């Protein structure tokens, strides 16, 4: 992260274009929360959003399954794609259980997320902790140079301090920076993209922007496509104000597309079709 202001997240929130993205996301979220279906059937919308969000996150990690296949499947062992989908589903289910811990100990939450993601793999001493010097990373989506272990440790500590200290920045900005920083660091030996997008979800829920978890940004990231995701992330990596603003706007658009998905779910429930 390139800014050194006393509240760096708030400084990012003031970048050109970011206030418009924040306002657009807030209005979209308010609209879906005001849908009449949410008065009686919000739990159903939450469950469906979780399923669709997991599918979207898995798609970005290379397992682009049809939604009905994700819904139907019960065994996610075996081939790598199935394990990726299973990891995404486990992470989505776990996110809501970690909200109370996040603000006090984000690093503990990230370790737990990696343990959950790797749950189907043979456990070893690399699971659930940041990588050490010389350890490799299996994450084909991000091809940027890998920060060394010392840099990872220092930047994770800085990110943790930002979360614990709090910020006046809107939830969209905080969630986008958490997401981008974890993608940049790739702190674990595997599943970094899945963990980063789950952390984004935790921030959006815990901030109060999306308390019922019905606005799956993962859906929007997948809908915009892997190429657009990587291009926007490269702007984050470059660290220039324009690139940071473009990444935040990309994440904002992802939330809006997640809102659109859940609005369609609400409409289907209202018609009795889902």
């Amino acid at each position: 992260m390139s800014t050194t202001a006393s509240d760096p997240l708030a400084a990012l929130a003031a970048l050109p274009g970011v206030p418009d993205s924040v306002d657009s996301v807030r209005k979209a979220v308010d609209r879906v929360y005001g849908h009449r279906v949410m008065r009686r059937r919000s739990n159903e919308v939450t469950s469906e959003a979780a399923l669709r969000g997991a599918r979207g996150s898995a798609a970005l990690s290379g397992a682009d399954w049809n939604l009905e296949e994700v819904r139907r499947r019960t065994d996610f062992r075996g081939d790598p794609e199935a394990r990726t989908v299973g990891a995404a589903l486990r992470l989505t289910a776990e996110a809501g259980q970690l909200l109370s811990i996040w603000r006090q100990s984000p690093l503990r939450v990230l370790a737990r997320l990696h343990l959950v993601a790797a749950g189907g793999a043979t456990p070893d001493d690399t699971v659930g902790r940041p990588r050490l010097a010389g350890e490799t990373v299996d994450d084909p989506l991000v091809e940027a140079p890998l920060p060394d272990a010392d840099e990872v440790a220092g930047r994770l500590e800085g990110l943790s301090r930002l979360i614990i200290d709090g910020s006046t920045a809107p939830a969209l900005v905080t969630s986008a920076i958490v997401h981008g920083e974890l993608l940049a660091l790739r702190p674990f030996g595997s599943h970094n993209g899945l963990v980063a997008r789950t952390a984004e979800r935790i921030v959006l829920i815990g901030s109060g922007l999306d308390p019922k978890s019905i606005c799956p940004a993962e859906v929007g990231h997948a809908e915009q496509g892997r190429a657009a995701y990587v291009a926007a992330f490269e702007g984050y990596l470059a660290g220039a104000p324009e690139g940071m603003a473009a990444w935040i706007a990309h994440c904002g658009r992802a939330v809006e597309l997640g809102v659109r998905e859940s609005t369609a779910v609400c409409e289907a429930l209202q018609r009795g079709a889902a």
Side-chain angles (χ1 to χ4, degrees):
M1 291 175 286
S2 60
T3 180
T4 59
S6 58
D7 186 349
L9 297 180
L12 292 172
L15 290 173
V18 172
D20 290 339
S21 294
V22 169
D23 185 57
S24 183
V25 166
R26 178 75 267 175
K27 288 177 179 176
V29 172
D30 286 347
R31 282 195 298 272
V32 72
Y33 270 84
H35 198 287
R36 63 168 57 186
V37 164
M38 289 296 295
R39 300 173 198 163
R40 307 181 313 277
R41 306 180 70 178
S42 65
N43 287 344
E44 294 172 71
V45 181
T46 296
S47 295
E48 191 64 21
L51 183 72
R52 295 176 186 224
R55 193 217 72 82
S57 192
L60 285 171
S61 289
D64 192 0
W65 286 17
N66 180 280
L67 179 64
E68 293 312 313
E69 175 65 12
V70 178
R71 195 190 306 279
R72 180 193 65 79
R73 183 76 73 96
T74 56
D75 184 356
F76 295 94
R77 296 170 296 179
D79 65 271
E81 285 196 6
R83 292 196 296 271
T84 296
V85 175
L89 288 167
R90 291 192 301 272
L91 284 170
T92 302
E94 187 77 7
Q97 310 303 312
L98 299 172
L99 297 175
S100 63
I101 305 172
W102 174 254
R103 285 298 300 273
Q104 285 75 42
S105 184
L107 297 185
R108 179 180 165 197
V109 168
L110 293 175
R112 173 62 185 169
L113 291 177
H114 189 241
L115 280 167
V116 169
T122 302
D124 58 47
D125 65 0
T126 70
V127 174
R129 64 155 174 80
R131 55 188 170 81
L132 303 177
E135 292 180 344
T136 59
V137 171
D138 179 13
D139 201 335
L141 180 60
V142 178
E143 298 180 353
L146 197 65
D148 65 30
D150 288 342
E151 182 179 352
V152 169
R155 287 171 64 177
L156 280 177
E157 184 59 37
L159 182 64
S160 175
R161 181 51 53 193
L162 283 176
I163 300 303
I164 293 169
D165 288 350
S167 170
T168 61
L172 171 63
V173 174
T174 303
S175 64
I177 297 309
V178 167
H179 182 172
E181 192 70 353
L182 291 173
L183 280 184
L185 295 177
R186 283 150 288 164
F188 302 110
S190 61
H191 304 298
N192 288 292
L194 294 176
V195 168
R197 290 184 290 275
T198 305
E200 177 186 44
R201 171 184 284 266
I202 288 172
V203 174
L204 293 171
I205 300 169
S207 67
L209 178 65
D210 181 23
K212 294 183 182 294
S213 192
I214 62 167
C215 306
E218 305 97 324
V219 168
H221 287 304
E223 188 169 332
Q224 292 178 91
R226 296 180 80 186
Y229 183 75
V230 171
F233 171 63
E234 287 173 350
Y236 176 89
L237 273 182
E242 297 82 0
M244 301 291 280
W247 169 250
I248 294 167
H250 183 87
C251 292
R253 180 60 178 156
V255 175
E256 291 185 66
L257 290 169
V259 167
R260 187 175 72 179
E261 187 88 353
S262 287
T263 300
V265 170
C266 288
E267 294 294 331
L269 288 169
Q270 186 168 284
R271 294 191 305 269

